[in-house]
Amino acid sequence: MKRPLANAAALLAAAVTVFPIYWMLLSAFKPAGEITSTAVRPWTWHPSLDSFERVIGQENFGRYFLNSLIVAGTVVVLSGLVAFLAAVALTRFRFRWRTTILVLFLIAQMVPVEALTIPLFFLVRDLGGTVPGVGLNTLGSLVITHLAFSLPFAIWMMRGFVAAVPEAVEEAALVDGASRFTVLWRITFPLAAPGLAATSVFSFITAWNDFIFAKTFIISAKGNQTLPAALQMFVKPDENDWGGIMAASTLMTIPVLLFFVLVQRRLVSGLGGAVKD
Amino acid sequence: MTTAARRGRFLPLLYLLPTAVVLVPLFGYPLYQLGLISVFDYRQPQVSGGQPAEFVGVGNYTTLLSDPQFWSVLSTTVWFAAACVLATLAVGAALAVLLTRVGRVPRTVLSLAAMAAWAAPAMTGSTVWLFLFDTDLGLVNQTLGLGGHNWFYDRYSAFALVGATVVWHSFPFVMVSLYAGIRAVPESVLEASRIDGATVWQQFWKVIVPILRPVITIVVIQSVIWDFKIFTQIYVMTGGGIAGQNLVLNVFAYQKAFGSSEYGLGSAIGVVTTVILLAVTLFYVRAIRRQGEHL
């Protein structure tokens, strides 16, 4: 293929790929009259914030947004710490069940977590009243379940980054009299931190995008709903408020996009590493 | 044995302790429970504690296996996943090859566009695609002058739209992985094949594909796993379809359990899905081992 032709094809593919996002943004900013008109309007001369105002004013939207941030943020921090420790154990030590544990983590990634919704629903229900902060209609139940489901992959990915930290640096610090614990937090952790960034994208996205658990565990306390389940409530069989839905979708996409942009390079190199491993 | 060495023996277990504290009760136990519930008659009276759960052995499974709807949902799930995987791979691979042949600017633009689609949550992707194909206010019907046509009434057009949304979400992973793989193919190898007179087509199939086989294997299996467990898009875009015509196993299980309070039956479906995916996983583990990954 000639280069100009290839360039044009790539730009066309990019346009097609980004189009739904463009349409979401455009529709979120269109005034009500243009959304409900059946004429084709690929552009608007009258951008308006009405849809955003309507959504934000509706049914605790800000609260849902904050809930999603709390759940995803907590999962990212906790899974980063836990996965880091596990990755150290699995890269720096040789012990008996090492291979078995690794294979189990790999298998865990393949288990359809949707299928576990049923037993988890009963577990979460039964934990209510016994374990503080957990139970139906609590954000805690979303945090712990997402933590569990993001861990196997986070550990698997962190492993490569911990392995890349030169052991000589750690040994030098040990020789200088640092404790194992100090070495772990002052040397290994900061050096593996870029990997943590890439890993955290996946944990963040898993928790942020979750729909099925939020829908199942948060059944009556509407104030504890997270964004995806709240968004589904806006989608009605007929008479959709498309402007509002697109505004809500936009608000929901922004944090993930920001996260992606921030760690984009590391994500690609991390993936390359994971794939070529 | 010195104190340090003995501590060294227990240290990895200590580091793995937090992981175990999370995974055993929240992953292992529910997995066990899923199997357990699937052999009980577990419905609303049992859930509320009014009646004891009755052990029915393989009862739920025989109910399922003799239910024609289960078989049709199972085959639908397999076909739908297969179609999504093939389409995702075709689009991802084609664009990965394209990326190697374009200038810096188009490459960056396409990468960023792919990142945006990748980052978009399944929920927002679903709502946007629903809107694009909305009966009256959707851009597609307005442009084509098909006002009043509902794309979600027909089983196949509904599946096609869900499939398009899925591919849109997942081709970026394939594209980025394969592009990274292609870039890692030594230039000298490509040049040697060029000197030997290989066409672009031959070069792709006879040189690049064999070298990339490990990456391709992983990308394929990862896609199979993702596409086999699609839930959000089907649920949000079709709700399972008219008369359940767009059901896949995960949504079917969810509706059985939380819609009709047939928790035992829903769990049995979950077990079937899990077993199928674990079989795929075994191939995955073997594939990675064969390419020399030290576990």
Side-chain angles (χ1 to χ4, degrees):
Chain A
M1 209 191 297
K2 285 257 167 54
R3 218 169 194 213
L5 201 60
N7 284 342
L11 290 175
L12 180 70
V16 171
T17 303
V18 91
F19 187 78
I21 305 244
Y22 164 74
W23 200 251
M24 173 181 82
L25 286 172
L26 175 71
S27 310
F29 285 102
K30 270 183 182 175
E34 289 185 20
I35 282 273
T36 51
S37 128
T38 48
V40 180
R41 289 169 194 268
W43 183 246
T44 179
W45 296 108
H46 313 283
S48 120
L49 288 174
D50 287 355
S51 296
F52 287 98
E53 278 171 19
R54 198 165 58 254
V55 161
I56 291 170
Q58 194 178 344
E59 301 186 59
N60 309 318
F61 193 85
R63 183 71 192 281
Y64 302 147
F65 196 89
L66 191 65
N67 288 344
S68 274
L69 274 184
I70 291 171
V71 170
T74 316
V75 169
V76 164
V77 172
L78 290 180
S79 83
L81 290 176
V82 176
F84 170 70
L85 282 178
V88 170
L90 293 166
T91 47
R92 291 291 194 253
F93 299 90
R94 308 267 152 224
F95 53 96
R96 205 157 159 222
W97 298 100
R98 203 175 139 270
T99 309
T100 315
I101 291 173
L102 273 170
V103 172
L104 280 179
F105 287 159
L106 195 61
I107 291 175
Q109 285 173 49
M110 316 309 164
V111 171
V113 295
E114 294 80 3
L116 295 184
T117 315
I118 300 168
L120 279 171
F121 172 76
F122 293 123
L123 181 69
V124 164
R125 186 195 63 172
D126 297 343
L127 286 178
T130 24
V131 180
V134 183
L136 291 181
N137 303 319
T138 63
L139 293 180
S141 60
L142 296 179
V143 170
I144 57 169
T145 44
H146 287 306
L147 183 59
F149 294 125
S150 59
L151 261 187
F153 184 76
I155 294 170
W156 197 256
M157 205 166 160
M158 259 325 271
R159 216 168 49 106
F161 294 105
V162 172
V165 175
E167 276 184 83
V169 184
E170 293 173 4
E171 274 154 23
L174 279 176
V175 169
D176 286 349
S179 72
R180 266 195 180 275
F181 203 71
T182 313
V183 172
L184 198 63
W185 291 117
R186 293 286 166 85
I187 313 256
T188 319
F189 188 74
L191 287 176
L196 212 53
T199 311
S200 63
V201 185
F202 286 91
S203 314
F204 183 85
I205 290 178
T206 315
W208 184 264
N209 290 1
D210 162 66
F211 168 62
I212 187 167
F213 289 156
K215 185 180 163 53
T216 313
F217 301 161
I218 314 292
I219 41 179
S220 64
K222 295 288 188 212
N224 276 352
Q225 201 52 277
T226 52
L227 277 182
L231 194 54
Q232 199 234 344
M233 297 190 304
F234 292 153
V235 183
K236 304 194 177 71
D238 39 47
E239 292 290 315
N240 276 321
D241 169 14
W242 282 119
I245 295 170
M246 291 301 108
S249 299
T250 301
L251 291 172
M252 185 176 165
T253 309
I254 289 171
V256 198
L257 267 181
L258 283 180
F259 222 105
F260 249 83
V261 170
L262 281 177
V263 296
Q264 193 233 113
R265 277 165 195 282
R266 281 166 187 161
L267 180 69
V268 174
S269 65
L271 261 183
V275 169
K276 280 186 290 174
D277 219 8
Chain B
M1 194 186 281
T2 66
T3 322
R6 208 180 308 139
R7 245 215 343 254
R9 264 184 77 184
F10 292 106
L11 212 51
L13 298 181
L14 186 69
Y15 290 168
L16 281 168
L17 190 65
T19 304
V21 166
V22 176
L23 288 187
V24 172
L26 291 163
F27 208 128
Y29 180 68
L31 202 54
Y32 158 76
Q33 281 277 312
L34 181 75
L36 197 64
I37 299 174
S38 80
V39 292
F40 277 90
D41 181 20
Y42 211 73
R43 288 183 248 196
Q44 201 50 52
Q46 288 81 10
V47 171
S48 49
Q51 277 175 32
E54 190 198 336
F55 179 77
V56 291
V58 294
N60 288 321
Y61 292 93
T62 46
T63 308
L64 271 188
L65 300 188
S66 58
D67 177 2
Q69 195 188 7
F70 168 74
W71 289 104
S72 107
V73 172
L74 177 64
S75 83
T76 304
T77 309
V78 172
W79 282 113
F80 180 63
C84 286
V85 169
L86 282 180
T88 307
L89 289 174
V91 173
L95 292 182
V97 173
L98 186 64
L99 274 185
T100 63
R101 291 163 190 277
V102 299
R104 214 188 125 98
V105 173
R107 189 163 65 231
T108 310
V109 171
L110 180 51
S111 305
L112 287 178
M115 285 286 172
W118 193 356
M123 189 69 207
T124 54
S126 302
T127 58
V128 176
W129 281 77
L130 261 181
F131 180 37
L132 282 170
F133 286 86
D134 183 69
T135 311
D136 296 312
L137 303 177
L139 175 70
V140 173
N141 279 2
Q142 289 175 0
T143 312
L144 300 178
L146 288 173
H149 176 71
N150 190 321
W151 295 83
F152 293 91
Y153 278 171
D154 178 66
R155 183 175 192 228
Y156 296 99
S157 70
F159 265 132
L161 289 185
V162 176
T165 313
V166 169
V167 171
W168 178 71
H169 269 304
S170 47
F171 88 82
F173 166 74
V174 176
M175 183 186 88
V176 168
S177 307
L178 290 182
Y179 177 66
I182 295 174
R183 287 293 300 271
V185 173
E187 192 50 45
S188 57
V189 175
L190 294 178
E191 194 152 327
S193 69
R194 220 172 286 137
I195 292 169
D196 287 345
T199 63
V200 171
W201 192 248
Q202 283 173 329
Q203 202 177 43
F204 181 74
W205 286 109
K206 302 267 162 83
V207 181
I208 296 179
V209 170
I211 295 179
L212 286 190
R213 186 144 293 147
V215 185
I216 295 173
T217 313
I218 289 172
V219 164
V220 169
I221 296 180
Q222 199 75 54
S223 304
V224 169
I225 288 160
W226 280 343
D227 294 350
F228 201 84
K229 23 183 225 187
I230 288 167
F231 178 87
T232 306
Q233 288 94 336
I234 289 275
Y235 191 90
V236 173
M237 294 177 75
T238 73
I242 295 156
Q245 63 181 2
N246 292 107
L247 283 175
V248 290
L249 281 178
N250 266 335
V251 184
F252 190 47
Y254 192 88
Q255 289 194 345
K256 278 275 183 246
F258 296 102
S260 347
S261 293
E262 299 261 19
Y263 296 95
L265 220 49
S267 297
I269 302 170
V271 170
V272 171
T273 318
T274 308
V275 167
I276 294 175
L277 276 171
L278 287 185
V280 177
T281 310
L282 287 183
F283 282 105
Y284 184 60
V285 174
R286 275 185 48 191
I288 317 188
R289 294 208 114 170
R290 218 180 296 142
Q291 62 158 302
E293 160 105 353
H294 298 290
L295 289 171

